[in-house]
Amino acid sequence: MMSLTCNNLEFGRTRLDFAACGCSSNASSNRSSVRNYGKGLLRNVNRVCRARRVWCFRRDFSRCRVFSTKSPEAFLNGVAAGPPPVLDLTKERKGSSSLSDMFEAVAEDLVTLNKNLQSIVGSENPVLMSAAEQIFEAGGKRMRPALCFLVSRATAEIAGLMDLTKEHRRLAEIIEMIHTASLIHDDVIDESDMRRGKETVHQLYGTRVAVLAGDFMFAQSSWYLANLENLEVIKLISQVIKDFASGEIKQASTLFDCDVELDEYLIKSYYKTASLIAASAKGAAIFSGVGGDISEQMYQYGKNLGLSFQVVDDILDFTQSAEQLGKPAASDLAKGNLTAPVIFALEKDTKLRDIIETEFCETGSLDEAIDIVMNCGGIERAQELAREIADQAVKSLHCLPPSSFRLALEELVNYNLERIK
């Protein structure tokens, strides 16, 4: 369902939401809006590459904003006009920041979170505890809870709160638990032996224990979520768990499918990556008690940051070594998961389609496919896509007053892009 008056490329709006502000919706426009967005973005990425500049699209829409947490399957067209981006994402920066630098503003919050993570998993089952410890201690950057804390503190200042609430802190813990559970399940589905340079849970304890450990952490996080007693946030985060499954199903149903389109890739990326980041940012703003406009802008920030991160990760899957990735290079392509660089490369080289459709049954065919992606512009066009989406994330931060927390949120966008420079 889609409203032509609503801002940004959004997901999951229902008829009830539009009725609340008098907007009209059309259920039949769901898939066409997704397709139109993807094709429009593809055309503009093409234009970017030809002009050798970053393209930034804008359209003027009315100010109506309506929100829901159901059926995140439709992009809503349009980007609200606004001031120029806070960061010039096209210019070289003099120095690069580390995540620890960006998260310095919430360092104490992260210390508290790390202390609490083990206790909130529970101690009923030593095997599950051991499995959780394996991935909690595998060198994760805690990006999602850090982002949750940054948004919490940035929006708390607007609301006049002197400190974070217990709901803010519990939300960050829930977000990290959900993310960890999803990683455990992802490794089982992908049959991955390594995660962040260490053996995966299912490799150490077996598939049965890994699946149960992931299930348990999803259930435990859901229980803590219910105890927050905020229906809006409960719906928001609960949808994320559904999105994970939807993303896996979409991915499994399009393996080795050379007809997969950019919009389908973006929807799958939203389900698997951006949904949780968007929901955590919006949930943090809700607990700060700010208005709906600001909480929605935080959602848009998280969504576009998450999509940009996924595109960058998919680029790095081709450009980094197995040692840098902590897993085999080009592993997605080898398994038939066609990401942005491959989708763009397929438009340029018909031989790539022939190779992929054989599912790399011939010796050396995977290496040949990788060479085609690297040499026919797939990487460069995916880079432009990542930059454009990142630009939209920055624009969503204009509603926040200047602060160290807003600056860190801006720097996080730039940090992501610096990974592909």
Side-chain angles (χ1 to χ4, degrees):
M1 286 160 261
M2 168 185 168
S3 167
L4 297 180
T5 62
C6 296
N7 292 342
N8 219 330
L9 46 105
E10 185 50 84
F11 300 84
R13 300 298 181 243
T14 67
R15 193 176 301 276
L16 289 175
D17 299 305
F18 294 108
C21 69
C23 294
S24 61
S25 62
N26 184 352
S28 65
S29 64
N30 253 0
R31 293 194 178 278
S32 64
S33 65
V34 174
R35 194 171 295 109
N36 290 339
Y37 169 74
K39 290 178 179 177
L41 188 55
L42 181 58
R43 285 194 299 270
N44 284 296
V45 170
N46 288 338
R47 193 179 303 128
V48 166
C49 297
R50 288 194 299 269
R52 295 184 180 180
R53 62 183 174 83
V54 172
W55 170 79
C56 176
F57 65 93
R58 285 184 184 172
R59 293 184 187 139
D60 291 327
F61 287 82
S62 68
R63 292 179 176 273
C64 171
R65 289 187 172 92
V66 284
F67 315 108
S68 169
T69 58
K70 296 182 179 180
S71 306
E73 188 141 51
F75 285 94
L76 298 185
N77 292 339
V79 178
V86 176
L87 299 176
D88 186 346
L89 300 176
T90 68
K91 291 183 178 179
E92 287 289 331
R93 291 174 57 83
K94 294 181 179 179
S96 60
S97 300
S98 67
L99 283 178
S100 60
D101 292 335
M102 284 176 277
F103 297 160
E104 180 64 30
V106 292
E108 292 183 7
D109 297 323
L110 289 172
V111 169
T112 301
L113 175 129
N114 286 331
K115 291 178 181 177
N116 291 343
L117 278 176
Q118 295 297 333
S119 63
I120 67 174
V121 170
S123 57
E124 294 92 344
N125 192 309
V127 176
L128 294 181
M129 278 290 292
S130 180
E133 288 174 2
Q134 168 67 13
I135 197 161
F136 279 147
E137 296 175 359
K141 297 181 285 289
R142 300 283 190 266
M143 187 194 82
R144 287 156 187 82
L147 185 146
C148 186
F149 285 134
L150 288 170
V151 173
S152 296
R153 291 200 173 275
T155 53
E157 288 189 347
I158 297 174
L161 298 178
M162 299 300 295
D163 198 2
L164 299 187
T165 66
K166 65 181 188 228
E167 288 81 11
H168 282 129
R169 298 188 183 282
R170 183 46 52 90
L171 176 63
E173 293 161 1
I174 290 169
I175 293 301
E176 185 66 2
M177 286 181 67
I178 292 174
H179 175 58
T180 301
S182 73
L183 294 182
I184 295 173
H185 280 179
D186 281 352
D187 289 337
V188 172
I189 293 169
D190 297 338
E191 299 179 344
S192 300
D193 296 333
M194 301 294 290
R195 164 73 63 179
R196 298 166 182 157
K198 294 188 177 183
E199 288 185 293
T200 56
V201 172
H202 79 88
Q203 182 73 8
L204 287 173
Y205 302 100
T207 299
R208 180 183 178 87
V209 170
V211 171
L212 290 174
D215 289 347
F216 177 79
M217 293 185 71
F218 275 130
Q220 191 80 326
S221 61
S222 297
W223 186 84
Y224 280 108
L225 179 63
N227 278 274
L228 290 175
E229 298 183 346
N230 183 299
L231 186 58
E232 186 177 7
V233 175
I234 290 171
K235 287 181 177 180
L236 189 68
I237 306 300
S238 296
Q239 179 65 50
V240 171
I241 300 175
K242 176 185 173 183
D243 289 345
F244 284 145
S246 297
E248 290 296 344
I249 293 169
K250 278 188 173 293
Q251 181 168 299
S253 65
T254 57
L255 294 178
F256 298 102
D257 180 4
C258 294
D259 292 319
V260 65
E261 296 184 357
L262 183 66
D263 57 315
E264 296 175 271
Y265 162 77
L266 290 172
I267 291 174
K268 182 203 70 176
S269 298
Y270 170 79
Y271 283 145
K272 288 175 63 69
T273 302
S275 176
L276 179 61
I277 298 174
S280 64
K282 183 174 182 178
I286 290 171
F287 282 133
S288 291
V290 295
D293 282 357
I294 293 176
S295 62
E296 175 60 14
Q297 287 303 310
M298 294 303 95
Y299 177 90
Q300 294 296 329
Y301 168 80
K303 181 198 68 182
N304 286 310
L305 176 65
L307 289 174
S308 183
F309 253 96
Q310 186 59 59
V311 175
V312 169
D313 278 347
D314 293 337
I315 293 169
L316 295 179
D317 194 43
F318 285 93
T319 61
Q320 287 191 338
S321 65
E323 290 74 19
Q324 290 172 305
L325 293 169
K327 62 178 182 178
S331 58
D332 279 330
L333 178 58
K335 295 169 184 174
N337 178 27
L338 308 189
T339 58
V342 181
I343 293 171
F344 288 128
L346 280 166
E347 296 178 358
K348 296 291 185 181
D349 196 311
T350 56
K351 186 178 181 181
L352 181 60
R353 172 184 287 267
D354 296 334
I355 296 172
I356 292 174
E357 288 180 344
T358 67
E359 299 186 10
F360 310 116
C361 61
E362 297 181 8
T363 303
S365 59
L366 176 60
D367 290 336
E368 185 177 3
I370 294 171
D371 288 340
I372 293 173
V373 173
M374 295 291 292
N375 295 322
C376 75
I379 299 298
E380 290 76 13
R381 294 177 69 192
Q383 289 172 334
E384 296 298 342
L385 175 63
R387 291 188 184 104
E388 179 188 324
I389 298 173
D391 187 61
Q392 303 310 312
V394 171
K395 290 176 183 176
S396 295
L397 296 175
H398 293 155
C399 64
L400 299 177
S403 69
S404 59
F405 311 114
R406 170 177 162 171
L407 180 61
L409 292 169
E410 294 168 354
E411 288 291 328
L412 187 54
V413 177
N414 202 74
Y415 163 83
N416 177 48
L417 296 180
E418 285 177 345
R419 297 192 295 153
I420 53 175
K421 286 185 177 179

